[in-house]
Amino acid sequence: MKKLWICACALLLITVTACSDYEIFAKDLNPVDTTEDDPAEEPDNWDGTFDTGAVQAATTTDRAVAASFNGGVYDKSITTKAPQGVLVSWRWLSSDPDDIGFDVYRDGTKLNASPIINSTNYKDLTAEIGKTYKYEVKNNADNSSLGNYTITTSSEAAGFYRSIKLKARAGYDANDGAIGDLDGDGKYEIVVKRQVIGAPRDVGDTGGSWSGLQAGSCILEAYKLDGSSNGVPMWTINMGININQGAHTTQFLVYDFNGDGKAEVALRTAEGTTFGDGTTISDVNGDGKTDYRNTSSGRVLDGPEFLSLADGETGAEIARTEYIPRGEESTWESYWGDAWGNRSERFLMGVGHFDSQDGRASIVMCRGYYKNFQLWAVHYNDDGKLRNRWKFNTASGYSEQWLDAGNHNLSIGDVDNDGKDEIVYGSCGIDHDGKGMYATGLGHGDALHLGKFDPNRAGLQIVGCHEHEDKHGGKGVDIRDAATGEILWFIPGTKDIGRCLVADIDPETPGCEVWSSASATDLYSFAGTKLAKKAPTQIGDGTSYNMAIWWDGSLNRQLLDGNKNKDDTTSGTGSPCIVSYANGRLFMGSSFGAVTINDTKTNPCFYGDIWGDWREEVIYPTNDFSELRIFTTDFETQYRIRPLMEDHIYRLSATHQNIGYNQPTHTGFYLGSDRTDYKDFK
């Protein structure tokens, strides 16, 4: 009895200590919301409910007629020019009948002999180099016009990409991007992050990895995707000197959070952040200073931090609440995992529909993923306030297997088929109400994939790789059920398994294939069978396991990657490439002046089904960072699929693509060569 009493007292002491260190958020693991616990200001008349009304359509209503013509360096040899005609594409919207037929006109003359009923594209092989054509798509049933696009063909590939001129900023690059309908015109715009070349501060593993003050500050700019901005952004947000530049620290979301048909921008802010209307967050806490940078290390480890919501059309701040605090410095090592502000300064952000997929979305802000971590779900109400729905904190009663579970990214979607979204936070799952679902105990990792990868298994699946062998115990890559966390099988691996990818790249193997850096050549079926075939390689050798893209018209995916551009001595970026597992090289970005936005992951600014013909567009900056170039496929397809942005899992994966280490898009339905009919996807 005495021993039991001593243990109870010790447990109480530990609990009290944890709560005192993080009193603001450790009072209750899963509070519904309380005025004393909520950092947002509460009006007297608030009834404690959340507005859940209508939401923005997953895809825009615009038909998005587009045309592409590749007259540049094209084929696998990378030595010849091979003009392939003009490809015209458009959206097959959910509002369209399943049996709708389309007609394509060029300069008023119909090109197709019979209605186009099996695809949403048409290849005009009679187009000539150096000509300007106006293409128009019509509804075959009533001859009504659905949209048009004018293109000028050229031997230098004008028309293969759309150019978005950027504001000239000496010393700044163009980095991550995110799309959304910012002004409610039915068309997507892009928000692009710009940061000082060579100056981003990725938080390091040792206390002495930084020195001196950060050069410049991170900037967000909004542009029209049709190029009409002409180098003048719709608005600019300067994050300020108290937000360190880097993949772990400058998260932002573009999404419609109030259901008005216009996307907002959610971002972490601090004193010194200046919004699109020129308003700056001043000395909020009244301590007489607005510069919290350590003069020797350059780290920002003090001062107020906020979650801000900005109007998508103007960039003006419309709501603000306190960000998850880092706590007292004396507790950092025991709670976050180090004493110098590395692991406490790891930030993620996400979008979740926690009432229903038809209801309004909430913002998920996150802090930490090594050792302890926290997630707060914040909702934007009609009264203009950001309010906490729930708070999740691993310090409040969670076992060891929950610690160190987070990745450098996250995935969100309805994994248990209850109509509400859940959060996949690396090696664990968190329910729509902020309660823990499961933890595998495999620890921290880099790459994370959520989607429908097995056409014969119910529900969604997860593929993730893991860094720390003391946690993963040889399960370098786990393939698990997204709803239950059940590990279906794993790829053996030791030490740090940094990369893994899942995609249907081989038409001869059922379902998707899985491969990873655990073994650079091994390729597995999704059933866990090691195949005789080898994992795909990128241009210049080495395994390709960064991203996958639907590009060549088949139902298989291609590899979106990049090789190091040896001629690039200034930006430290690589040359983009698209490679088919079966047919080799399809696209080389260096032929069109494009570069990737980082060295190791060789990512684009953004990619996804922007125009809506189900193939994916990819956006890269030019090597001088003077413009963005939107590349769209010039391959014809025989398949007709609704815009992928209408799929909930896909839309959220596109939204979260820029969060942390960029991850590829995935669908919530199986899209691969095992299936050819997609009429039931709406």
Side-chain angles (χ1 to χ4, degrees):
M1 189 68 180
K2 184 178 180 181
K3 290 183 179 179
L4 181 62
W5 183 85
I6 293 172
C7 291
C9 289
L11 180 61
L12 178 61
L13 178 61
I14 293 171
T15 303
V16 170
T17 302
C19 289
S20 63
D21 290 339
Y22 297 91
E23 186 176 358
I24 190 170
F25 49 77
K27 292 178 180 178
D28 187 357
L29 176 62
N30 299 299
V32 175
D33 207 291
T34 62
T35 56
E36 67 268 18
D37 189 56
D38 196 337
E41 181 182 353
E42 308 291 357
D44 294 337
N45 62 351
W46 185 56
D47 61 4
T49 62
F50 299 98
D51 299 310
T52 60
V55 297
Q56 180 189 25
T59 188
T60 65
T61 57
D62 183 68
R63 194 58 69 166
V65 176
S68 61
F69 177 83
N70 184 354
V73 177
Y74 173 86
D75 69 358
K76 289 187 286 184
S77 70
I78 305 297
T79 60
T80 61
K81 295 186 179 222
Q84 300 292 311
V86 172
L87 181 71
V88 185
S89 64
W90 58 92
R91 289 183 176 131
W92 178 35
L93 300 173
S94 291
S95 56
D96 292 330
D98 288 348
D99 61 352
I100 189 174
F102 301 99
D103 293 323
V104 176
Y105 289 75
R106 186 185 75 190
D107 297 334
T109 300
K110 189 168 81 168
L111 299 178
N112 53 295
S114 58
I116 301 169
I117 59 174
N118 294 318
S119 70
T120 52
N121 64 194
Y122 179 85
K123 196 67 167 283
D124 179 13
L125 295 174
T126 65
E128 300 177 17
I129 294 176
K131 297 291 185 68
T132 298
Y133 299 111
K134 181 180 179 180
Y135 292 94
E136 186 176 20
V137 178
K138 294 185 177 183
N139 187 332
N140 174 262
D142 58 12
N143 205 42
S144 59
S145 179
L146 302 178
N148 61 79
Y149 188 87
T150 299
I151 185 174
T152 298
T153 62
S154 157
S155 60
E156 299 305 316
F160 186 48
Y161 58 81
R162 239 179 249 190
S163 176
I164 304 173
K165 294 188 181 301
L166 300 175
K167 182 176 179 177
R169 292 190 181 277
Y172 273 80
D173 66 12
N175 201 257
D176 286 319
I179 67 168
D181 184 0
L182 298 176
D183 55 9
D185 65 351
K187 301 178 182 179
Y188 289 131
E189 285 78 40
I190 186 169
V191 177
V192 61
K193 180 172 70 175
R194 309 199 62 185
Q195 53 190 18
V196 178
I197 297 173
R201 296 260 176 114
D202 212 7
V203 287
D205 290 331
T206 63
S209 60
W210 289 7
S211 64
L213 298 180
Q214 169 180 279
S217 55
C218 191
I219 294 169
L220 300 181
E221 295 174 341
Y223 293 92
K224 294 279 191 178
L225 283 185
D226 61 4
S228 61
S229 300
N230 198 30
V232 180
M234 297 170 59
W235 48 258
T236 298
I237 295 175
N238 191 319
M239 291 187 173
I241 58 176
N242 292 315
I243 302 293
N244 286 128
Q245 299 181 107
H248 299 102
T249 54
T250 51
Q251 321 296 345
F252 67 100
L253 301 170
V254 178
Y255 206 79
D256 183 8
F257 292 105
N258 62 358
D260 66 350
K262 301 179 183 180
E264 290 78 41
V265 181
L267 68 158
R268 192 172 67 91
T269 58
E271 292 182 357
T273 299
T274 301
F275 295 92
D277 60 352
T279 302
T280 300
I281 301 177
S282 57
D283 182 13
V284 175
N285 60 358
D287 65 353
K289 68 177 191 177
T290 56
D291 185 349
Y292 290 93
R293 297 173 296 173
N294 183 288
T295 55
S296 59
S297 71
R299 295 178 181 269
V300 180
L301 301 174
D302 196 7
E305 301 170 282
F306 309 104
L307 173 71
S308 292
L309 194 65
D311 181 85
E313 192 166 11
T314 66
E317 187 183 32
I318 56 176
R320 184 194 311 165
T321 190
E322 183 180 9
Y323 205 89
I324 303 168
R326 58 176 64 87
E328 295 296 326
E329 185 174 356
S330 61
T331 68
W332 290 352
E333 185 168 10
S334 61
Y335 184 84
W336 299 113
D338 65 50
W340 58 84
N342 166 25
R343 298 184 172 186
S344 64
E345 308 307 293
R346 306 286 181 133
F347 303 96
L348 300 175
M349 198 176 290
V351 173
H353 293 257
F354 298 129
D355 295 298
S356 73
Q357 291 184 18
D358 296 327
R360 210 177 279 183
S362 297
I363 303 165
V364 181
M365 55 177 172
C366 317
R367 190 169 204 139
Y369 35 77
Y370 300 103
K371 204 170 182 181
N372 287 296
F373 54 87
Q374 293 182 53
L375 286 73
W376 290 8
V378 180
H379 200 81
Y380 184 53
N381 266 16
D382 284 341
D383 60 10
K385 302 292 184 180
L386 289 168
R387 307 189 180 284
N388 286 313
R389 298 180 64 98
W390 47 258
K391 300 174 182 180
F392 177 92
N393 178 9
T394 52
S396 299
Y398 280 98
S399 62
E400 181 73 20
Q401 64 182 355
W402 286 84
L403 302 184
D404 194 36
N407 274 40
H408 293 282
N409 41 71
L410 82 174
S411 293
I412 298 179
D414 182 11
V415 303
D416 58 4
N417 202 32
D418 65 352
K420 304 174 183 179
D421 287 336
E422 289 75 42
I423 303 163
V424 180
Y425 205 68
S427 296
C428 65
I430 299 166
D431 213 342
H432 64 273
D433 57 2
K435 294 179 170 61
M437 297 175 66
Y438 64 81
T440 65
L442 298 180
H444 165 75
D446 279 2
L448 178 68
H449 309 282
L450 168 68
K452 182 70 171 181
F453 306 131
D454 187 343
N456 301 313
R457 182 179 179 86
L460 303 175
Q461 296 83 46
I462 294 169
V463 177
C465 54
H466 311 286
E467 287 191 8
H468 302 149
E469 192 172 9
D470 60 336
K471 285 279 188 175
H472 67 68
K475 297 182 176 71
V477 180
D478 79 304
I479 293 82
R480 67 182 189 264
D481 184 279
T484 66
E486 176 191 359
I487 297 176
L488 307 175
W489 58 279
F490 64 89
I491 298 176
T494 59
K495 300 182 179 180
D496 182 346
I497 312 302
R499 308 299 294 159
C500 65
L501 191 54
V502 54
D504 183 18
I505 60 172
D506 181 17
E508 298 178 357
T509 304
C512 290
E513 290 76 53
V514 184
W515 64 104
S516 75
S517 58
S519 177
T521 61
D522 290 346
L523 183 67
Y524 295 82
S525 74
F526 203 80
T529 302
K530 185 177 177 179
L531 304 176
K533 299 177 178 181
K534 301 300 183 182
T537 56
Q538 63 180 357
I539 303 300
D541 205 15
T543 305
S544 180
Y545 34 48
N546 280 330
M547 290 184 164
I549 186 171
W550 283 289
W551 182 266
D552 72 357
S554 73
L555 295 173
N556 294 117
R557 295 195 90 174
Q558 290 70 57
L559 289 309
L560 180 64
D561 214 321
N563 69 318
K564 182 68 178 173
N565 186 349
K566 296 179 181 179
D567 297 327
D568 184 0
T569 60
T570 57
S571 67
T573 55
S575 179
C577 57
I578 297 175
V579 179
S580 165
Y581 185 66
N583 299 313
R585 183 182 303 174
L586 305 177
F587 168 80
M588 197 71 179
S590 57
S591 302
F592 307 100
V595 295
T596 63
I597 66 170
N598 57 49
D599 189 6
T600 60
K601 309 294 190 299
T602 61
N603 303 127
C605 293
F606 177 84
Y607 87 104
D609 184 19
I610 300 173
W611 306 142
D613 72 338
W614 78 264
R615 271 83 61 73
E616 296 175 291
E617 282 67 44
V618 58
I619 304 177
Y620 291 105
T622 54
N623 52 17
D624 63 357
F625 303 111
S626 64
E627 64 183 79
L628 302 178
R629 290 179 174 172
I630 310 174
F631 295 91
T632 188
T633 184
D634 61 332
F635 284 85
E636 192 175 13
T637 186
Q638 60 180 318
Y639 303 104
R640 182 156 76 170
I641 304 174
R642 308 278 181 176
L644 298 187
M645 287 291 192
E646 295 188 355
D647 176 62
H648 187 67
I649 295 295
Y650 185 92
R651 181 67 180 95
L652 292 188
S653 73
T655 300
H656 302 142
Q657 187 182 124
N658 73 79
I659 302 301
Y661 293 168
N662 302 49
Q663 298 298 291
T665 54
H666 295 294
T667 54
F669 63 98
Y670 182 76
L671 178 50
S673 56
D674 305 64
R675 179 184 177 187
T676 59
D677 186 6
Y678 291 90
K679 288 182 184 175
D680 58 348
F681 162 53
K682 290 187 175 183

